[in-house]
């Protein structure tokens, strides 16, 4: 089995795909300070991604496995970039790290006082399977997709997107009002078969929340955007992207203990989630999913 050669076939749902530019330091055992910061970033990103896909049960183990594979690749890789991909395939989660080096990594049995050398031993102990691609450049491992708790529901819809309608918004207090005005026209033209008044209210609340909590007053070059997407199953995805890549009080916001905006739209049937986006992962998208049909308000 070599997952690196399976990633373009049917039945795969990507959870994370990114490329990291290496800055090796020969005086620090190959790992520069900028490269050493990446494992922590990856842990944060994969936590947000798997939570977004409704699999928080996989977060802790995936963080450990990805940390070991990525650190090894950053330290010993030969290419300018490190490729990272995590995806769902049939009954397993697959983690791939491509370091560009044809030298195949091997298990080491470190002495008790050694500071390192146990990475692949940890991978072997935690993963269901692990291996290296035939050309030696990609190390992969898998985790079984055991059933999660009954109350856990995927945060993201899986139906393919049939149409996207982007909106550019100013990064200031006028954004929420302008979003409402644009949305009226866009949803009418798109003829989405759901409660359009409710959808406009949801967009307004998400933009208003982003302006209130994610924008820094007076800071230049901030960006704020929104997008409608209609899936083949006629769900409406409302995405609002802001320049703050964190949402530490998301659960509290849904519960209504830190403001009532998101709590209100969740109470009225919107399914809410968030995930990090952007080059360098410096932004986030908050997503609301609305179902087609009449909504009782």
């Amino acid at each position: 089995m070599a997952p690196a050669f399976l990633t373009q076939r049917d039945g795969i749902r990507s959870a994370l795909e990114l490329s990291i530019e290496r800055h090796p330091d020969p005086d620090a055992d190959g790992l520069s300070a900028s490269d050493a910061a990446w494992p922590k970033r990856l842990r944060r990103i994969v936590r947000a991604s798997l939570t977004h896909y409704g699999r928080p049960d996989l977060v802790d183990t995936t963080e450990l496995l990805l940390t070991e594979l990525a650190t090894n690749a950053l330290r010993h890789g030969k290419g300018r970039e490190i490729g990272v991909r995590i995806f769902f395939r049939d009954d397993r989660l697959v983690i791939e790290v491509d370091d560009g080096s044809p030298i195949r990594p091997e298990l080491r049995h470190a002495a008790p006082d050694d500071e390192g050398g146990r990475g692949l031993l940890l991978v072997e102990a935690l993963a269901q399977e692990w291996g290296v691609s035939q050309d030696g450049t990609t190390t992969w491992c898998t985790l079984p997709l055991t059933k999660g708790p009954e109350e856990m529901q995927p945060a993201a819809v899986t139906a393919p997107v049939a149409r996207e309608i982007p909106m550019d918004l100013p990064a200031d207090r006028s954004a929420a009002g302008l979003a409402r005005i644009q949305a009226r026209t866009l949803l009418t033209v798109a003829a989405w078969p759901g409660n359009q008044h409710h959808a406009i209210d949801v967009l307004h609340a998400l933009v208003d929340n982003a302006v209130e909590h994610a924008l820094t007053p007076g800071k230049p070059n901030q960006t704020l955007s929104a997008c409608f997407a209609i899936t083949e199953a006629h769900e409406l995805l409302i995405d609002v992207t802001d320049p703050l890549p964190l949402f530490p009080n998301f659960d509290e916001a849904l519960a209504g203990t830190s403001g009532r905006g998101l709590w209100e739209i969740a109470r009225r049937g919107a399914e809410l989630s968030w995930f990090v986006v952007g080059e360098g992962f410096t932004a986030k998208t908050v997503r609301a999913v609305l179902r087609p049909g009449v909504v009782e308000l």
Side-chain angles (χ1 to χ4, degrees):
M1 174 185 174
F5 303 109
L6 299 177
T7 56
Q8 298 302 317
R9 298 185 185 178
D10 292 337
I12 288 177
R13 185 157 53 106
S14 180
L16 174 66
E17 187 170 5
L18 56 91
S19 181
I20 302 168
E21 185 176 356
R22 294 177 66 241
H23 300 279
D25 182 354
D27 298 325
D29 197 21
L31 196 64
S32 65
S34 60
D35 286 353
W38 266 108
K40 182 178 180 179
R41 294 176 189 163
L42 289 172
R43 288 194 296 272
R44 184 191 70 200
I45 293 165
V46 77
R47 177 174 292 272
S49 180
L50 290 179
T51 300
H52 167 66
Y53 278 97
R55 297 309 305 245
D57 55 310
L58 299 173
V59 165
D60 290 341
T61 305
T62 303
E63 282 185 343
L64 287 171
L65 292 171
L66 181 57
T67 295
E68 295 302 333
L69 295 184
T71 300
N72 193 64
L74 287 164
R75 190 185 300 276
H76 302 293
K78 299 300 182 183
R80 288 187 55 193
E81 296 182 340
I82 301 297
V84 175
R85 181 165 182 176
I86 299 177
F87 57 91
F88 300 97
R89 167 84 183 188
D90 300 326
D91 60 350
R92 62 190 182 273
L93 178 78
V94 183
I95 304 168
E96 295 180 346
V97 177
D98 185 340
D99 65 5
S101 172
I103 302 175
R104 300 172 68 87
E106 297 182 359
L107 284 174
R108 278 186 54 196
H109 294 279
D113 57 348
D114 286 349
E115 294 184 1
R118 299 179 179 84
L120 289 182
L121 285 173
L122 181 61
V123 171
E124 184 176 58
L126 295 177
Q128 182 183 37
E129 299 177 286
W130 80 278
V132 184
S133 62
Q134 189 173 1
D135 63 1
T137 62
T138 301
T139 305
W140 58 266
C141 62
T142 68
L143 289 173
L145 293 180
T146 54
K147 188 177 181 180
E150 290 295 328
E151 70 273 15
M152 184 174 62
Q153 296 294 326
V157 298
T158 57
V161 171
R163 183 180 181 187
E164 290 187 346
I165 310 170
M167 288 173 273
D168 290 324
L169 300 173
D172 57 40
R173 291 283 179 182
S174 67
L178 291 174
R180 185 185 289 277
I181 294 170
Q182 291 186 53
R184 289 173 184 154
T185 300
L186 295 174
L187 286 178
T188 299
V189 172
W192 175 62
N195 190 311
Q196 297 188 12
H197 294 293
H198 179 44
I200 292 170
D201 287 343
V202 170
L203 173 66
H204 182 273
L206 293 183
V207 175
D208 186 63
N209 189 74
V211 170
E212 180 69 24
H213 300 289
L215 296 182
T216 302
K219 183 178 179 179
N221 302 320
Q222 297 181 94
T223 58
L224 185 67
S225 64
C227 181
F228 286 140
I230 301 174
T231 74
E232 293 179 1
H234 304 298
E235 299 115 334
L236 179 67
L237 280 60
I238 305 175
D239 287 350
V240 174
T241 301
D242 63 57
L244 182 66
L246 302 174
F247 204 147
N249 63 336
F250 182 70
D251 292 338
E252 290 86 349
L254 290 189
T257 58
S258 62
R260 309 291 278 184
L262 297 191
W263 171 82
E264 178 64 24
I265 62 176
R267 186 184 68 83
R268 293 166 61 182
E271 298 178 24
L272 295 173
S273 60
W274 73 278
F275 45 96
V276 291
V277 295
E279 184 177 355
F281 314 105
T282 56
K284 74 171 178 293
T285 293
V286 180
R287 168 172 291 177
V289 180
L290 302 183
R291 307 299 176 186
V294 177
V295 178
E296 294 294 338
L297 302 179

